[in-house]
């Protein structure tokens, strides 16, 4: 085992104020569907500059609700990058739509206007209702360019943004926070423990469209709606929804964590900068994933691209060597188009950018409680594991 405590690739950071917020919520009248839900939504909307924010059970629920709220269903198609978590593609299948997998830039892992255009041409004629760019690691996809291609196809953008809370981008119209609705119809977030803020499980959808927000709120609670002035017990359901609510207890934690977002962002950026300096001597065999010029990320993942083949090393022995020194890593992600379900549904696809990304990527520890010395320890261990020391 290494010379220090085990460093996972990511973990939550909970302090005394977070615990106090949850304890206070536990002593309140509502454990769920109470005032802390709306308070968290309002604080989150303000944090990302969005007119509306709708809390829900988790990031997958946020994606599913977005598809439902936009009326996407059987006969429709949704474009998704292959380098992402399963939920991005699965949310289309949840509503009966088909998935068009796009390739990604091999050095950023992001969907690009060129890979989206290629995927739409490959897919041929038919309705494309939504394009779901993923802000992988926290770097922002080219929303301006993707929005242009999507409009030409008659589709809207839905940002899959669980990695990108606090990230910003400038596409020539000023610095904009991810999730403010400038380029997309909706943006989805996750508060899983390894994300930038944590509620245990939890998600959020932001939108500038009041009608979409209203439908999201109905659909997260079984489709129920109440008419002002009607009998107090009366509710009506015009379409079925789901139990995708986020409890007050978790919203209390989320609101407390949100107050810490500026500090989290500052620390993540400082750690990323230290990694950049520490990894520089390992070039060209090891380098950070590329940050596009427009992206101002708060990185959720610290992903390096390693030329395992040139080094004569397999990824698994490197992962195991790092684990033996108390350093956790992860691979983000196995290309979704290669999963058995999707191969069975759509056949094999040749997406060279996704293949190149997957072949080289490895995520190293990154979380706010890390010390500067932890970064040096990780890089030194990686150098040893790769035979570069």
């Amino acid at each position: 085992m290494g010379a220090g405590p085990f460093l996972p690739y990511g973990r939550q950071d909970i302090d005394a104020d977070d615990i106090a917020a949850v304890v206070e919520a536990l002593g309140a009248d509502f454990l769920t569907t109470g005032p802390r839900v709306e308070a968290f939504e309002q604080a989150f909307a303000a944090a990302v500059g969005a007119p509306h924010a709708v809390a829900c059970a988790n990031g997958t629920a946020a994606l599913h609700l977005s598809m439902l709220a936009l009326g996407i269903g059987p006969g429709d198609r949704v474009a998704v990058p292959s380098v992402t978590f399963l939920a991005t593609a699965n949310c289309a299948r949840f509503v009966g739509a088909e998935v068009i997998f796009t390739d990604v830039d091999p050095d950023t892992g992001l969907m690009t206007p060129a890979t989206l255009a290629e995927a739409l041409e490959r897919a041929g004629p038919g309705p494309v209702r939504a394009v779901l760019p993923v802000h992988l690691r926290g770097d922002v996809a080219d929303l301006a360019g993707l929005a242009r291609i999507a409009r030409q196809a008659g589709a809207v953008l839905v940002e899959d943004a669980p990695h990108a809370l606090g990230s910003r981008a400038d596409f020539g119209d000023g610095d904009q926070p991810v999730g403010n609705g400038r380029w997309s119809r909706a943006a989805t977030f996750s508060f899983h423990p390894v994300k930038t803020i944590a509620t245990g499980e939890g998600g959020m959808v932001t939108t500038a469209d009041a009608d979409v927000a209203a439908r999201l709120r109905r659909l997260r609670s079984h489709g129920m709606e109440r008419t002002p002035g009607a009998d107090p017990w009366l509710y009506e359901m015009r379409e079925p929804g789901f139990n995708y609510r986020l409890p007050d207890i978790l919203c209390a934690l989320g609101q407390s964590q949100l107050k810490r977002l500026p500090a989290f962002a500052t620390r993540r950026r400082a750690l990323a900068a230290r990694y950049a300096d520490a990894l520089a001597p390992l070039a060209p065999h090891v380098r950070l994933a590329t940050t596009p010029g427009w992206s101002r990320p708060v990185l959720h993942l610290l992903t390096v691209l390693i030329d395992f083949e040139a080094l004569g090393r397999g990824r698994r022995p490197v992962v195991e060597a790092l684990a033996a020194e108390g350093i956790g890593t992860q691979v983000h992600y196995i290309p979704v188009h290669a999963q058995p379900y999707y191969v069975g549904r759509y056949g094999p696809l040749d997406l060279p950018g996704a293949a190149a990304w997957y072949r080289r990527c490895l995520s190293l520890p990154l979380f706010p409680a890390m010390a500067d010395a932890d970064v040096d320890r990780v890089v030194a261990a990686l150098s040893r594991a790769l035979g570069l020391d």
Side-chain angles (χ1 to χ4, degrees):
M1 187 61 74
F6 183 76
L7 297 172
Y9 83 87
R11 78 180 305 273
Q12 71 276 10
D13 187 314
I14 303 297
D15 70 4
D17 289 340
D18 297 329
I19 294 170
V22 174
V23 170
E24 182 181 359
L26 285 168
D29 291 334
F30 293 90
L31 295 184
T32 192
T33 59
R36 286 171 175 79
V37 178
E38 185 175 357
F40 181 36
E41 290 174 336
Q42 290 177 348
F44 194 90
V48 303
H52 308 280
V54 180
C56 57
N58 50 60
T60 301
L63 286 166
H64 187 191
L65 286 171
S66 296
M67 296 296 98
L68 292 167
L70 293 170
I72 295 168
D76 295 329
R77 298 184 297 175
V78 174
V80 172
S82 185
V83 175
T84 184
F85 185 56
L86 300 170
T88 316
N90 290 351
C91 72
R93 297 297 304 131
F94 292 164
V95 297
E98 302 295 340
V99 179
I100 301 170
F101 284 109
T102 82
D103 206 354
V104 299
D105 180 284
D107 295 325
T108 68
L110 299 172
M111 176 195 287
T112 70
T115 63
L116 175 58
E118 184 278 328
L120 296 180
E121 182 177 359
R122 169 173 25 98
V128 180
R129 292 289 309 283
V131 174
L132 272 62
V134 175
H135 300 314
L136 189 68
R137 307 178 318 283
D139 264 320
V140 185
D142 183 357
L143 294 175
L146 293 169
R148 182 177 64 255
I149 303 295
R151 279 195 303 271
Q152 293 169 356
V156 298
L157 290 189
V158 176
E159 299 170 66
D160 190 359
H163 295 189
L165 179 56
S167 293
R168 305 177 73 90
D170 187 345
F171 299 106
D173 60 345
D175 192 47
Q176 307 267 346
V178 167
N180 71 349
R182 169 68 178 84
W183 295 102
S184 65
R185 187 65 63 83
T188 66
F189 295 87
S190 167
F191 310 127
H192 183 276
V194 298
K195 299 301 193 298
T196 308
I197 70 169
T199 62
E201 290 284 0
M204 191 77 74
V205 185
T206 61
T207 180
D209 188 320
D211 292 335
V212 169
R215 194 166 186 216
L216 287 165
R217 295 184 194 283
R218 289 195 301 271
L219 290 168
R220 74 172 171 189
S221 189
H222 300 284
M224 296 188 302
E225 53 186 325
R226 302 178 187 274
T227 302
D231 293 334
W233 62 86
L234 186 66
Y235 58 83
E236 296 178 316
M237 186 194 79
R238 291 178 171 81
E239 60 178 329
F242 294 82
N243 182 359
Y244 278 167
R245 297 179 294 245
L246 188 64
D248 271 46
I249 305 167
L250 302 189
C251 288
L253 176 57
Q255 191 171 4
S256 178
Q257 286 264 295
L258 197 59
K259 294 174 183 176
R260 303 176 65 197
L261 178 59
F264 286 159
T266 297
R267 186 59 186 152
R268 284 180 176 273
R269 285 179 166 140
L271 289 167
R274 190 171 185 93
Y275 265 116
D277 290 341
L279 288 164
L282 305 188
H285 300 299
V286 182
R287 60 186 179 84
L288 287 170
T290 300
T291 289
W294 57 78
S295 179
R296 312 286 186 269
V298 172
L299 289 181
H300 154 58
L301 299 174
L302 196 293
T303 304
V304 291
L305 301 178
I306 302 172
D307 192 341
F308 292 103
E309 184 177 353
L311 292 168
R313 293 289 201 277
R315 181 161 48 194
R316 179 169 177 172
V318 171
V319 166
E320 291 173 342
L322 290 170
E325 295 205 42
I327 295 165
T329 59
Q330 189 53 272
V331 173
H332 295 95
Y333 293 96
I334 301 169
V336 184
H337 79 273
Q339 292 293 340
Y341 171 82
Y342 286 110
V343 174
R345 190 164 190 87
Y346 303 124
L349 292 175
D350 179 19
L351 300 180
W357 172 270
Y358 174 64
R359 189 166 57 244
R360 298 173 295 154
C361 69
L362 189 66
S363 295
L364 304 178
L366 181 68
F367 51 92
M370 286 178 62
D372 289 354
D374 291 329
V375 173
D376 302 335
R377 174 186 156 201
V378 170
V379 174
L382 179 64
S383 181
R384 288 190 291 272
L386 293 171
L388 293 172
D389 56 331

